[in-house]
Amino acid sequence: MTLETAAYARSLSEIVELTGDQQTYEFTFTAATQEPLSLKSLMGTVAGEANEAHDITIDNVTLE
């Protein structure tokens, strides 16, 4: 998960491990800028793992 500006300056950069179970994550950050930020979920392949179709659900996201 990242929070970043249009120029890719990040205020948050966290790697989370996904499993088959529902999980809750909470991160504390301080915005490094007054510019608008984009919340991004960067998902890709993991080395050595099969690249199979799967579902990922992200919900109840709150930024305060």
Side-chain angles (χ1 to χ4, degrees):
M1 301 297 293
T2 66
L3 273 173
E4 59 189 34
T5 66
Y8 304 108
R10 291 187 176 171
S11 291
L12 175 76
S13 181
E14 295 287 342
I15 296 173
V16 297
E17 182 149 348
L18 302 178
T19 68
D21 299 322
Q22 182 177 347
Q23 300 173 71
T24 299
Y25 297 97
E26 183 175 318
F27 306 109
T28 301
F29 71 95
T30 301
T33 179
Q34 293 296 313
E35 295 179 43
L37 297 172
S38 296
L39 176 64
K40 298 180 180 179
S41 300
L42 309 174
M43 297 174 221
T45 355
V46 176
E49 296 292 324
N51 191 14
E52 299 175 7
H54 54 276
D55 295 321
I56 297 172
T57 303
I58 299 173
D59 63 1
N60 298 324
V61 176
T62 304
L63 297 175
E64 297 179 1

